[in-house]
């Protein structure tokens, strides 16, 4: 069964706007990661946040983690058409070696 | 460096046929894994390996076999293909365990008729 769920399933915005995607998960985690997938391609790692961290930044990306609510959010600021892709959260299940992925959010940024 | 490579890119099989999906990495990573991605779903872990000679099952292992004789290669074998195995298959590696960022191959699109 999937560990995480992304919300919304699809998001369409104009270039320059901010995009926020949310991820909820079910069990205790070691860390949470966000990945991007362009159509027909493999996943590319964006950012990793550990269970003892609350916020992390990388360029135009900002990730938050709330372990009490078992949720995370990914904010992409000043979006560009090139940000059009599917975004997945993934959790390393605590005391386990496998990663669990959600179904993803499909982001469309219109020029 | 090529990173993570997968062959073939596309494959069509008939029900009952067997085949091997190849995955190779030149990053000297210990941890390798195989995922499948079905439409509208995230990736699901099939098998993984924490080092040469060591493999373990993931979330959906049935119908697949793996082996890890070298650090570089991690082939995935379909013993008797079924239409339910139609999917896109991704191989991924990471430096140690699944704790670190994973590097994905470009994927193999498999259709079983």
């Amino acid at each position: 069964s999937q560990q995480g769920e992304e919300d919304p399933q699809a998001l369409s915005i104009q270039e320059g706007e901010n995009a926020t995607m949310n991820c909820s998960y079910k069990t205790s985690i070691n860390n949470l990661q966000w990945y991007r997938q362009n159509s027909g391609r493999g996943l590319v790692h964006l950012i990793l946040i550990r269970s003892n961290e609350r916020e992390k930044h990388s360029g135009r990306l900002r990730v938050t983690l709330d372990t009490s609510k078992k949720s995370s959010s990914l904010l992409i600021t000043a979006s560009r058409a090139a940000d059009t892709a599917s975004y997945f959260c993934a959790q390393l299940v605590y005391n386990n070696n496998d990663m669990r992925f959600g179904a993803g959010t499909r982001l469309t940024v219109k020029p | 460096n090529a990173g993570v490579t997968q062959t073939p890119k596309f494959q069509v099989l008939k029900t009952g046929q067997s085949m091997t999906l190849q995955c190779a990495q030149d990053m000297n990573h210990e941890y390798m894994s195989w995922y499948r991605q079905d439409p509208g779903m995230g990736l699901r872990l099939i098998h993984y390996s924490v080092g040469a000679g060591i493999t373990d099952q993931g979330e959906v292992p049935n119908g697949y076999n793996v082996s890890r004789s070298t650090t570089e290669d991690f082939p995935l074998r379909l013993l008797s293909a079924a239409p339910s195995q139609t999917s896109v298959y991704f191989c991924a590696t990471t430096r140690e365990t699944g704790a670190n960022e994973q590097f994905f191959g470009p994927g193999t699109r498999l259709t079983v008729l």
Side-chain angles (χ1 to χ4, degrees):
Chain A
S1 61
Q2 288 178 294
Q3 161 75 342
E5 297 289 340
E6 286 92 345
D7 172 60
Q9 290 185 332
L11 180 62
S12 182
I13 59 175
Q14 294 293 135
E15 211 166 25
E17 294 181 340
N18 294 342
T20 299
M21 289 158 269
N22 302 298
C23 168
S24 61
Y25 57 91
K26 298 175 183 175
T27 62
S28 297
I29 61 170
N30 182 298
N31 66 51
L32 185 142
Q33 303 178 30
W34 285 90
Y35 288 81
R36 183 186 75 231
Q37 183 181 36
N38 290 92
S39 182
R41 309 288 287 272
L43 277 71
V44 174
H45 182 266
L46 295 175
I47 196 165
L48 180 154
I49 186 166
R50 302 193 186 282
S51 59
N52 61 351
E53 296 176 313
R54 292 296 168 258
E55 187 171 313
K56 205 160 184 181
H57 297 256
S58 177
R60 292 184 295 113
L61 306 180
R62 172 178 170 254
V63 168
T64 62
L65 179 64
D66 187 336
T67 53
S68 66
K69 295 182 179 179
K70 291 186 169 57
S71 67
S72 173
S73 67
L74 170 67
L75 169 67
I76 304 174
T77 61
S79 63
R80 306 166 181 168
D83 294 328
T84 294
S86 291
Y87 292 82
F88 296 87
C89 69
Q91 303 86 39
L92 178 69
V93 178
Y94 186 71
N95 258 359
N96 202 323
N97 274 321
D98 71 74
M99 298 286 294
R100 297 296 173 102
F101 287 80
T105 292
R106 181 176 296 277
L107 173 66
T108 302
V109 181
K110 301 175 184 176
Chain B
N1 290 347
V4 183
T5 58
Q6 291 184 238
T7 56
K9 290 186 178 179
F10 302 94
Q11 183 70 50
V12 178
L13 294 177
K14 294 181 179 178
T15 296
Q17 287 185 316
S18 63
M19 79 158 295
T20 299
L21 280 63
Q22 301 291 344
C23 174
Q25 54 106 354
D26 61 2
M27 307 172 80
N28 202 30
H29 285 172
E30 291 296 322
Y31 185 94
M32 298 185 74
S33 53
W34 276 103
Y35 294 89
R36 60 177 288 173
Q37 184 178 31
D38 300 304
M41 297 184 69
L43 278 68
R44 291 184 292 168
L45 184 68
I46 304 171
H47 285 285
Y48 66 93
S49 169
V50 299
I54 306 169
T55 64
D56 208 343
Q57 296 181 349
E59 184 183 359
V60 288
N62 292 340
Y64 307 95
N65 273 0
V66 292
S67 59
R68 184 92 180 273
S69 56
T70 67
T71 299
E72 294 78 17
D73 300 298
F74 191 42
L76 177 72
R77 298 183 187 84
L78 280 71
L79 307 174
S80 178
S84 61
Q85 294 179 304
T86 294
S87 188
V88 181
Y89 291 84
F90 290 99
C91 177
T93 76
T94 189
R95 182 167 47 86
E96 295 173 338
T97 68
N100 298 300
E101 67 173 284
Q102 298 200 51
F103 296 84
F104 283 83
T108 294
R109 185 174 295 273
L110 175 68
T111 301
V112 182
L113 303 175

